[in-house]
Amino acid sequence: MKKLERIDKLISNMGFGSRKQVKAYIKRGLVKVNGEIINDNSLKLDPYKDRIEFNNMEINYRRFIYLMMNKPKGLVSSTNDPSNKTVIDLLPDEYLVYKPFPAGRLDKDTEGLLLITNDGQLAHRLLSPKKGVDKVYYAEVAGYIDESYKERFWNGLVLDDGYQTLPAELEIVESDVISKVYITIQEGKYHQVKRMFESISTRVVYLKRISMGPLKLDDKLEPGQFRELTEEEITLLKTIEV
Ligand code: URA
Protein backbone atom coordinates (compact mmCIF):
# COMPACT_ATOMS: atom_id res chain seq x y z
CA MET A 1 0.00 0.00 0.00
CA LYS A 2 1.33 3.45 -0.93
CA LYS A 3 2.10 5.76 1.96
CA LEU A 4 0.00 8.91 2.14
CA GLU A 5 1.90 12.13 2.83
CA ARG A 6 0.83 15.46 4.26
CA ILE A 7 0.68 18.10 1.55
CA ASP A 8 2.61 20.79 3.48
CA LYS A 9 5.43 18.38 4.37
CA LEU A 10 5.63 17.09 0.84
CA ILE A 11 5.84 20.50 -0.83
CA SER A 12 8.37 21.66 1.74
CA ASN A 13 10.50 18.53 1.19
CA MET A 14 10.54 19.35 -2.50
CA GLY A 15 12.41 22.54 -1.66
CA PHE A 16 9.59 25.07 -2.05
CA GLY A 17 10.05 26.57 1.40
CA SER A 18 9.76 25.79 5.09
CA ARG A 19 6.60 24.09 6.43
CA LYS A 20 5.49 27.49 7.74
CA GLN A 21 5.98 29.15 4.35
CA VAL A 22 4.19 26.34 2.58
CA LYS A 23 1.23 26.65 4.98
CA ALA A 24 1.05 30.33 4.05
CA TYR A 25 1.13 29.47 0.34
CA ILE A 26 -1.73 27.03 0.86
CA LYS A 27 -3.72 29.75 2.66
CA ARG A 28 -3.12 32.05 -0.29
CA GLY A 29 -4.63 29.46 -2.63
CA LEU A 30 -1.39 28.70 -4.47
CA VAL A 31 -1.66 24.92 -4.14
CA LYS A 32 -3.94 22.71 -6.18
CA VAL A 33 -4.50 18.98 -5.81
CA ASN A 34 -6.10 17.22 -8.77
CA GLY A 35 -7.09 20.60 -10.22
CA GLU A 36 -8.78 21.95 -7.06
CA ILE A 37 -7.37 24.69 -4.86
CA ILE A 38 -6.94 23.28 -1.39
CA ASN A 39 -6.96 25.09 1.93
CA ASP A 40 -6.27 22.28 4.35
CA ASN A 41 -2.54 22.05 4.94
CA SER A 42 -2.92 18.70 6.73
CA LEU A 43 -4.51 17.08 3.67
CA LYS A 44 -2.99 13.65 3.02
CA LEU A 45 -2.39 12.39 -0.48
CA ASP A 46 -0.56 9.89 -2.59
CA PRO A 47 2.30 11.85 -4.17
CA TYR A 48 2.65 9.29 -6.96
CA LYS A 49 -1.02 9.39 -7.97
CA ASP A 50 -2.42 12.77 -7.06
CA ARG A 51 -1.58 15.71 -9.30
CA ILE A 52 -0.06 18.54 -7.31
CA GLU A 53 0.36 22.09 -8.61
CA PHE A 54 2.17 24.94 -6.95
CA ASN A 55 1.61 28.39 -8.39
CA ASN A 56 0.07 26.72 -11.48
CA MET A 57 3.18 24.58 -12.04
CA GLU A 58 2.94 20.82 -11.78
CA ILE A 59 5.22 19.32 -9.17
CA ASN A 60 6.77 16.03 -10.10
CA TYR A 61 7.28 14.25 -6.82
CA ARG A 62 10.13 11.82 -6.42
CA ARG A 63 11.37 10.39 -3.20
CA PHE A 64 14.73 9.29 -4.53
CA ILE A 65 17.16 10.49 -7.13
CA TYR A 66 19.90 8.42 -8.72
CA LEU A 67 22.67 10.12 -10.66
CA MET A 68 25.65 8.60 -12.41
CA MET A 69 28.63 10.93 -12.49
CA ASN A 70 31.94 10.60 -14.24
CA LYS A 71 33.91 12.07 -11.37
CA PRO A 72 36.67 14.38 -12.54
CA LYS A 73 40.06 14.67 -10.87
CA GLY A 74 40.42 17.39 -8.26
CA LEU A 75 37.03 17.07 -6.53
CA VAL A 76 36.36 15.28 -3.27
CA SER A 77 33.58 12.70 -2.93
CA SER A 78 31.76 14.18 0.03
CA THR A 79 28.74 16.40 0.55
CA ASN A 80 30.67 19.32 1.97
CA ASP A 81 34.26 20.15 2.55
CA PRO A 82 35.56 23.46 3.89
CA SER A 83 38.66 23.50 1.68
CA ASN A 84 37.83 21.50 -1.44
CA LYS A 85 35.23 21.57 -4.17
CA THR A 86 32.99 18.50 -3.89
CA VAL A 87 31.17 16.41 -6.46
CA ILE A 88 27.90 17.72 -5.00
CA ASP A 89 28.97 21.26 -5.98
CA LEU A 90 28.55 20.19 -9.62
CA LEU A 91 24.82 19.55 -9.17
CA PRO A 92 22.15 22.14 -9.91
CA ASP A 93 19.63 23.21 -7.25
CA GLU A 94 16.86 21.01 -8.67
CA TYR A 95 18.83 18.00 -7.37
CA LEU A 96 20.17 19.55 -4.17
CA VAL A 97 16.70 19.71 -2.62
CA TYR A 98 16.86 15.91 -2.39
CA LYS A 99 20.01 16.07 -0.25
CA PRO A 100 22.03 13.66 -2.37
CA PHE A 101 25.32 12.11 -1.29
CA PRO A 102 27.95 10.04 -3.08
CA ALA A 103 27.51 6.31 -2.52
CA GLY A 104 31.10 5.44 -1.75
CA ARG A 105 34.20 7.51 -2.17
CA LEU A 106 36.76 7.95 -4.87
CA ASP A 107 40.04 9.67 -4.04
CA LYS A 108 40.47 13.27 -5.09
CA ASP A 109 42.74 12.23 -7.97
CA THR A 110 40.58 9.26 -9.07
CA GLU A 111 38.12 9.56 -11.93
CA GLY A 112 35.13 7.59 -12.98
CA LEU A 113 31.89 6.07 -11.88
CA LEU A 114 30.23 7.62 -8.87
CA LEU A 115 26.63 7.00 -7.90
CA ILE A 116 25.04 10.02 -6.26
CA THR A 117 21.73 9.38 -4.56
CA ASN A 118 19.62 10.02 -1.49
CA ASP A 119 18.60 6.36 -1.25
CA GLY A 120 20.57 5.11 1.74
CA GLN A 121 19.36 1.56 1.44
CA LEU A 122 20.50 1.23 -2.15
CA ALA A 123 23.85 2.81 -1.31
CA HIS A 124 24.25 0.24 1.45
CA ARG A 125 23.57 -2.64 -0.95
CA LEU A 126 26.33 -1.43 -3.23
CA LEU A 127 28.87 -0.69 -0.55
CA SER A 128 28.46 -3.29 2.14
CA PRO A 129 31.52 -5.59 2.08
CA LYS A 130 29.16 -8.46 2.94
CA LYS A 131 27.40 -8.07 -0.39
CA GLY A 132 30.62 -8.67 -2.34
CA VAL A 133 29.68 -6.31 -5.17
CA ASP A 134 32.41 -6.16 -7.85
CA LYS A 135 34.05 -2.79 -8.40
CA VAL A 136 36.11 -2.62 -11.55
CA TYR A 137 38.90 -0.07 -11.98
CA TYR A 138 41.09 0.78 -14.92
CA ALA A 139 44.58 1.62 -13.68
CA GLU A 140 47.84 2.77 -15.17
CA VAL A 141 50.80 1.80 -13.05
CA ALA A 142 54.49 2.59 -13.20
CA GLY A 143 56.49 -0.43 -14.37
CA TYR A 144 56.05 -3.76 -16.06
CA ILE A 145 53.34 -6.13 -14.85
CA ASP A 146 53.89 -9.75 -15.69
CA GLU A 147 51.38 -12.61 -15.63
CA SER A 148 52.61 -13.84 -12.25
CA TYR A 149 50.99 -10.79 -10.62
CA LYS A 150 47.55 -12.17 -11.42
CA GLU A 151 48.02 -14.98 -8.94
CA ARG A 152 49.40 -12.66 -6.29
CA PHE A 153 46.32 -10.44 -6.56
CA TRP A 154 44.05 -13.46 -6.54
CA ASN A 155 45.73 -14.88 -3.43
CA GLY A 156 45.30 -11.58 -1.60
CA LEU A 157 47.93 -8.99 -0.79
CA VAL A 158 49.04 -7.68 2.57
CA LEU A 159 48.59 -3.93 2.82
CA ASP A 160 50.79 -1.51 4.80
CA ASP A 161 48.60 -1.91 7.91
CA GLY A 162 48.78 -5.72 7.79
CA TYR A 163 45.33 -6.16 6.26
CA GLN A 164 45.08 -9.14 3.93
CA THR A 165 42.90 -8.30 0.93
CA LEU A 166 40.20 -10.54 -0.48
CA PRO A 167 40.87 -12.16 -3.87
CA ALA A 168 41.12 -9.57 -6.62
CA GLU A 169 41.11 -10.19 -10.34
CA LEU A 170 43.83 -8.59 -12.41
CA GLU A 171 43.57 -8.27 -16.19
CA ILE A 172 46.68 -7.05 -17.94
CA VAL A 173 45.92 -4.91 -20.97
CA GLU A 174 49.49 -3.82 -21.63
CA SER A 175 52.76 -4.33 -19.81
CA ASP A 176 55.22 -1.51 -20.45
CA VAL A 177 57.04 1.31 -18.67
CA ILE A 178 53.52 2.44 -17.80
CA SER A 179 51.32 -0.65 -17.67
CA LYS A 180 47.56 -0.73 -18.21
CA VAL A 181 45.37 -3.07 -16.21
CA TYR A 182 41.83 -3.69 -15.03
CA ILE A 183 41.40 -4.72 -11.44
CA THR A 184 38.23 -6.07 -9.86
CA ILE A 185 37.81 -5.85 -6.11
CA GLN A 186 34.87 -6.46 -3.81
CA GLU A 187 35.87 -4.27 -0.92
CA GLY A 188 36.58 -0.60 -0.50
CA LYS A 189 39.32 0.02 2.03
CA TYR A 190 40.92 3.44 2.11
CA HIS A 191 43.08 3.92 -1.05
CA GLN A 192 42.65 0.22 -1.61
CA VAL A 193 43.79 -0.12 -5.21
CA LYS A 194 46.76 2.19 -4.74
CA ARG A 195 47.81 0.36 -1.60
CA MET A 196 47.46 -3.03 -3.28
CA PHE A 197 49.90 -1.95 -5.97
CA GLU A 198 52.15 -0.33 -3.38
CA SER A 199 52.35 -3.70 -1.65
CA ILE A 200 54.03 -5.03 -4.80
CA SER A 201 56.23 -1.91 -5.03
CA THR A 202 54.26 -0.41 -7.89
CA ARG A 203 52.76 3.07 -8.05
CA VAL A 204 49.34 3.82 -9.54
CA VAL A 205 49.64 6.87 -11.79
CA TYR A 206 46.05 6.95 -13.07
CA LEU A 207 42.90 5.39 -11.66
CA LYS A 208 39.35 5.32 -12.97
CA ARG A 209 36.36 3.33 -11.74
CA ILE A 210 34.53 1.65 -14.59
CA SER A 211 31.72 -0.22 -12.87
CA MET A 212 30.05 -1.08 -9.59
CA GLY A 213 28.06 -4.31 -9.70
CA PRO A 214 25.66 -4.09 -12.63
CA LEU A 215 26.19 -0.34 -13.06
CA LYS A 216 28.62 0.61 -15.84
CA LEU A 217 30.04 4.06 -16.43
CA ASP A 218 28.36 5.63 -19.46
CA ASP A 219 31.23 6.35 -21.82
CA LYS A 220 29.35 9.34 -23.21
CA LEU A 221 29.87 11.16 -19.91
CA GLU A 222 32.93 13.40 -19.92
CA PRO A 223 34.67 13.94 -16.56
CA GLY A 224 32.42 16.23 -14.52
CA GLN A 225 29.25 15.28 -16.39
CA PHE A 226 26.39 13.32 -14.90
CA ARG A 227 23.02 11.94 -15.86
CA GLU A 228 20.07 10.30 -14.14
CA LEU A 229 20.07 6.51 -14.04
CA THR A 230 17.60 4.85 -16.37
CA GLU A 231 14.73 2.83 -14.89
CA GLU A 232 16.55 -0.27 -16.11
CA GLU A 233 19.75 0.66 -14.26
CA ILE A 234 17.81 1.36 -11.05
CA THR A 235 16.05 -1.98 -11.33
CA LEU A 236 19.38 -3.74 -11.88
CA LEU A 237 20.84 -2.13 -8.75
CA LYS A 238 17.82 -3.21 -6.75
CA THR A 239 18.47 -6.82 -7.71
CA ILE A 240 21.52 -6.78 -5.42
CA GLU A 241 20.34 -8.79 -2.44
CA VAL A 242 19.80 -6.96 0.82
N1 URA B 1 41.18 2.62 -4.63
C1 URA B 1 41.97 3.70 -4.52
O1 URA B 1 43.15 3.59 -4.22
N2 URA B 1 41.43 4.89 -4.76
C2 URA B 1 40.15 5.08 -5.15
O2 URA B 1 39.72 6.21 -5.36
C3 URA B 1 39.33 3.94 -5.25
C4 URA B 1 39.88 2.71 -4.98
Side-chain angles (χ1 to χ4, degrees):
M1 207 178 75
K2 284 264 162 65
K3 202 173 147 230
L4 297 182
E5 305 257 10
R6 266 181 76 123
I7 184 75
D8 52 357
K9 183 168 171 227
L10 202 140
I11 295 180
S12 176
N13 286 349
M14 299 285 296
F16 289 93
S18 65
R19 288 279 280 276
K20 196 170 159 202
Q21 283 167 323
V22 171
K23 277 180 194 163
Y25 297 145
I26 292 173
K27 249 194 184 154
R28 282 168 53 199
L30 293 178
V31 176
K32 285 185 195 161
V33 174
N34 300 325
E36 301 281 329
I37 292 179
I38 57 138
N39 48 33
D40 175 6
N41 59 272
S42 67
L43 179 78
K44 288 194 168 171
L45 48 76
D46 179 344
Y48 295 101
K49 267 211 214 127
D50 293 309
R51 189 182 137 93
I52 307 162
E53 284 167 87
F54 176 67
N55 212 6
N56 293 322
M57 246 174 38
E58 186 167 355
I59 296 179
N60 242 328
Y61 182 77
R62 293 188 291 174
R63 190 178 305 272
F64 296 125
I65 57 155
Y66 304 94
L67 304 173
M68 171 192 294
M69 179 180 282
N70 183 357
K71 179 194 169 294
K73 278 184 188 175
L75 266 60
V76 293
S77 316
S78 52
T79 40
N80 55 50
D81 186 296
S83 45
N84 289 289
K85 197 168 166 185
T86 76
V87 289
I88 301 298
D89 293 333
L90 294 181
L91 305 182
D93 288 349
E94 64 180 283
Y95 291 116
L96 297 182
V97 295
Y98 294 96
K99 303 196 168 46
F101 57 86
R105 286 176 183 236
L106 289 177
D107 297 337
K108 192 173 171 183
D109 60 354
T110 301
E111 292 183 0
L113 177 63
L114 198 60
L115 172 68
I116 298 178
T117 182
N118 57 347
D119 184 343
Q121 203 187 32
L122 189 105
H124 176 72
R125 282 176 201 232
L126 263 183
L127 301 175
S128 163
K130 284 195 218 114
K131 307 283 182 289
V133 173
D134 282 347
K135 285 128 196 146
V136 183
Y137 293 84
Y138 167 75
E140 292 180 0
V141 302
Y144 291 85
I145 297 285
D146 70 64
E147 293 290 317
S148 67
Y149 282 107
K150 285 187 180 175
E151 203 179 329
R152 294 179 68 182
F153 274 76
W154 187 250
N155 289 339
L157 297 160
V158 180
L159 302 186
D160 47 7
D161 57 0
Y163 177 75
Q164 160 106 31
T165 60
L166 293 175
E169 211 178 302
L170 187 69
E171 187 193 327
I172 305 169
V173 181
E174 195 179 307
S175 177
D176 210 323
V177 179
I178 298 291
S179 295
K180 297 175 179 167
V181 299
Y182 286 102
I183 173 170
T184 305
I185 57 174
Q186 294 186 335
E187 29 184 12
K189 301 270 175 245
Y190 180 66
H191 292 335
Q192 174 141 357
V193 173
K194 291 176 187 158
R195 288 165 68 213
M196 286 172 87
F197 279 97
E198 268 162 28
S199 78
I200 55 159
S201 308
T202 307
R203 192 168 51 86
V204 171
V205 293
Y206 175 78
L207 190 60
K208 177 177 184 177
R209 185 157 59 201
I210 304 296
S211 67
M212 290 174 89
L215 192 62
K216 314 258 177 281
L217 178 65
D218 183 337
D219 56 17
K220 288 196 271 310
L221 291 177
E222 296 292 332
Q225 291 186 326
F226 62 89
R227 67 157 171 82
E228 291 195 19
L229 294 196
T230 61
E231 286 298 323
E232 201 187 339
E233 286 167 332
I234 297 170
T235 308
L236 275 175
L237 285 179
K238 289 186 176 168
T239 60
I240 300 170
E241 283 185 18
V242 194

CSV table of all heavy atoms in Angstrom, one decimal, residues 155-177:
chain,number,residue,atom,x,y,z
A,155,ASN,N,45.5,-14.3,-4.8
A,155,ASN,CA,45.7,-14.9,-3.4
A,155,ASN,C,45.5,-13.9,-2.3
A,155,ASN,O,45.5,-14.3,-1.1
A,155,ASN,CB,47.1,-15.4,-3.4
A,155,ASN,CG,47.3,-16.7,-4.2
A,155,ASN,OD1,46.3,-17.3,-4.5
A,155,ASN,ND2,48.5,-17.0,-4.6
A,156,GLY,N,45.4,-12.6,-2.6
A,156,GLY,CA,45.3,-11.6,-1.6
A,156,GLY,C,46.7,-11.0,-1.3
A,156,GLY,O,47.7,-11.7,-1.3
A,157,LEU,N,46.7,-9.7,-1.1
A,157,LEU,CA,47.9,-9.0,-0.8
A,157,LEU,C,47.9,-8.4,0.6
A,157,LEU,O,46.8,-8.2,1.1
A,157,LEU,CB,48.1,-7.8,-1.8
A,157,LEU,CG,48.2,-8.3,-3.3
A,157,LEU,CD1,47.9,-7.1,-4.2
A,157,LEU,CD2,49.6,-8.8,-3.5
A,158,VAL,N,49.0,-8.3,1.2
A,158,VAL,CA,49.0,-7.7,2.6
A,158,VAL,C,49.3,-6.2,2.5
A,158,VAL,O,50.4,-5.8,1.9
A,158,VAL,CB,50.1,-8.4,3.5
A,158,VAL,CG1,50.1,-7.8,4.9
A,158,VAL,CG2,49.8,-9.9,3.5
A,159,LEU,N,48.4,-5.4,2.9
A,159,LEU,CA,48.6,-3.9,2.8
A,159,LEU,C,49.5,-3.4,3.9
A,159,LEU,O,49.9,-4.1,4.9
A,159,LEU,CB,47.2,-3.2,2.9
A,159,LEU,CG,46.2,-3.7,1.8
A,159,LEU,CD1,45.0,-2.8,1.9
A,159,LEU,CD2,46.8,-3.6,0.4
A,160,ASP,N,49.8,-2.1,3.9
A,160,ASP,CA,50.8,-1.5,4.8
A,160,ASP,C,50.4,-1.6,6.3
A,160,ASP,O,51.2,-1.6,7.2
A,160,ASP,CB,51.1,0.0,4.4
A,160,ASP,CG,49.8,0.7,4.2
A,160,ASP,OD1,48.7,0.2,4.4
A,160,ASP,OD2,49.9,1.9,3.7
A,161,ASP,N,49.1,-1.8,6.5
A,161,ASP,CA,48.6,-1.9,7.9
A,161,ASP,C,48.4,-3.4,8.3
A,161,ASP,O,47.8,-3.7,9.3
A,161,ASP,CB,47.3,-1.1,8.1
A,161,ASP,CG,46.2,-1.6,7.2
A,161,ASP,OD1,46.5,-2.5,6.3
A,161,ASP,OD2,45.1,-1.1,7.2
A,162,GLY,N,48.9,-4.3,7.5
A,162,GLY,CA,48.8,-5.7,7.8
A,162,GLY,C,47.5,-6.4,7.3
A,162,GLY,O,47.3,-7.6,7.4
A,163,TYR,N,46.6,-5.6,6.7
A,163,TYR,CA,45.3,-6.2,6.3
A,163,TYR,C,45.6,-7.0,5.0
A,163,TYR,O,46.2,-6.6,4.1
A,163,TYR,CB,44.3,-5.0,5.9
A,163,TYR,CG,43.0,-5.6,5.4
A,163,TYR,CD1,42.1,-6.2,6.2
A,163,TYR,CD2,42.8,-5.5,4.0
A,163,TYR,CE1,40.9,-6.7,5.6
A,163,TYR,CE2,41.6,-6.0,3.5
A,163,TYR,CZ,40.7,-6.6,4.3
A,163,TYR,OH,39.5,-7.1,3.8
A,164,GLN,N,45.0,-8.2,5.1
A,164,GLN,CA,45.1,-9.1,3.9
A,164,GLN,C,43.8,-9.0,3.0
A,164,GLN,O,42.7,-9.1,3.5
A,164,GLN,CB,45.2,-10.6,4.5
A,164,GLN,CG,44.8,-11.7,3.5
A,164,GLN,CD,46.1,-12.4,3.0
A,164,GLN,OE1,47.0,-12.5,3.7
A,164,GLN,NE2,46.0,-12.9,1.8
A,165,THR,N,44.1,-8.6,1.8
A,165,THR,CA,42.9,-8.3,0.9
A,165,THR,C,42.2,-9.6,0.5
A,165,THR,O,42.8,-10.6,0.4
A,165,THR,CB,43.3,-7.5,-0.3
A,165,THR,OG1,44.3,-8.3,-1.1
A,165,THR,CG2,44.0,-6.2,0.1
A,166,LEU,N,41.0,-9.4,0.1
A,166,LEU,CA,40.2,-10.5,-0.5
A,166,LEU,C,40.7,-10.8,-1.9
A,166,LEU,O,41.4,-9.9,-2.5
A,166,LEU,CB,38.7,-10.2,-0.5
A,166,LEU,CG,38.0,-10.0,0.8
A,166,LEU,CD1,36.6,-9.5,0.6
A,166,LEU,CD2,38.0,-11.3,1.6
A,167,PRO,N,40.4,-11.9,-2.5
A,167,PRO,CA,40.9,-12.2,-3.9
A,167,PRO,C,40.5,-11.0,-4.8
A,167,PRO,O,39.3,-10.6,-4.8
A,167,PRO,CB,40.2,-13.5,-4.2
A,167,PRO,CG,39.9,-14.1,-3.0
A,167,PRO,CD,39.6,-13.0,-2.0
A,168,ALA,N,41.4,-10.6,-5.6
A,168,ALA,CA,41.1,-9.6,-6.6
A,168,ALA,C,41.6,-10.1,-8.0
A,168,ALA,O,42.5,-10.8,-8.1
A,168,ALA,CB,41.9,-8.3,-6.3
A,169,GLU,N,40.8,-9.7,-9.0
A,169,GLU,CA,41.1,-10.2,-10.3
A,169,GLU,C,41.9,-9.1,-11.1
A,169,GLU,O,41.5,-8.0,-11.1
A,169,GLU,CB,39.8,-10.4,-11.0
A,169,GLU,CG,39.8,-11.5,-12.0
A,169,GLU,CD,38.5,-11.8,-12.6
A,169,GLU,OE1,37.5,-12.0,-11.9
A,169,GLU,OE2,38.4,-11.6,-13.9
A,170,LEU,N,43.0,-9.5,-11.7
A,170,LEU,CA,43.8,-8.6,-12.4
A,170,LEU,C,43.8,-9.0,-13.9
A,170,LEU,O,44.1,-10.1,-14.2
A,170,LEU,CB,45.3,-8.6,-11.9
A,170,LEU,CG,46.2,-7.6,-12.4
A,170,LEU,CD1,45.9,-6.2,-11.9
A,170,LEU,CD2,47.7,-7.9,-12.0
A,171,GLU,N,43.5,-8.0,-14.7
A,171,GLU,CA,43.6,-8.3,-16.2
A,171,GLU,C,44.6,-7.3,-16.7
A,171,GLU,O,44.5,-6.1,-16.5
A,171,GLU,CB,42.2,-8.0,-16.8
A,171,GLU,CG,42.1,-8.4,-18.3
A,171,GLU,CD,40.9,-7.8,-18.9
A,171,GLU,OE1,39.8,-7.7,-18.2
A,171,GLU,OE2,40.9,-7.4,-20.1
A,172,ILE,N,45.6,-7.9,-17.4
A,172,ILE,CA,46.7,-7.1,-17.9
A,172,ILE,C,46.4,-6.7,-19.4
A,172,ILE,O,46.2,-7.5,-20.2
A,172,ILE,CB,48.0,-7.8,-17.9
A,172,ILE,CG1,48.3,-8.2,-16.4
A,172,ILE,CG2,49.2,-6.9,-18.4
A,172,ILE,CD1,49.5,-9.2,-16.2
A,173,VAL,N,46.2,-5.4,-19.6
A,173,VAL,CA,45.9,-4.9,-21.0
A,173,VAL,C,47.2,-4.7,-21.7
A,173,VAL,O,47.4,-5.0,-22.9
A,173,VAL,CB,45.1,-3.6,-20.9
A,173,VAL,CG1,44.8,-3.1,-22.3
A,173,VAL,CG2,43.9,-3.7,-20.1
A,174,GLU,N,48.2,-4.1,-21.0
A,174,GLU,CA,49.5,-3.8,-21.6
A,174,GLU,C,50.6,-3.8,-20.6
A,174,GLU,O,50.3,-3.1,-19.5
A,174,GLU,CB,49.3,-2.5,-22.3
A,174,GLU,CG,50.4,-2.1,-23.3
A,174,GLU,CD,50.1,-0.8,-23.9
A,174,GLU,OE1,49.0,-0.6,-24.5
A,174,GLU,OE2,51.0,0.1,-23.9
A,175,SER,N,51.7,-4.4,-20.8
A,175,SER,CA,52.8,-4.3,-19.8
A,175,SER,C,53.9,-3.5,-20.5
A,175,SER,O,54.4,-3.9,-21.5
A,175,SER,CB,53.2,-5.7,-19.4
A,175,SER,OG,54.3,-5.6,-18.6
A,176,ASP,N,54.2,-2.4,-19.8
A,176,ASP,CA,55.2,-1.5,-20.4
A,176,ASP,C,55.8,-0.6,-19.3
A,176,ASP,O,55.6,-0.9,-18.1
A,176,ASP,CB,54.5,-0.6,-21.5
A,176,ASP,CG,55.5,-0.2,-22.6
A,176,ASP,OD1,56.7,0.0,-22.3
A,176,ASP,OD2,55.0,-0.2,-23.8
A,177,VAL,N,56.5,0.4,-19.7
A,177,VAL,CA,57.0,1.3,-18.7
A,177,VAL,C,55.9,1.8,-17.8
A,177,VAL,O,56.0,1.9,-16.6
A,177,VAL,CB,57.8,2.5,-19.3
A,177,VAL,CG1,58.4,3.4,-18.3
A,177,VAL,CG2,58.9,1.9,-20.2
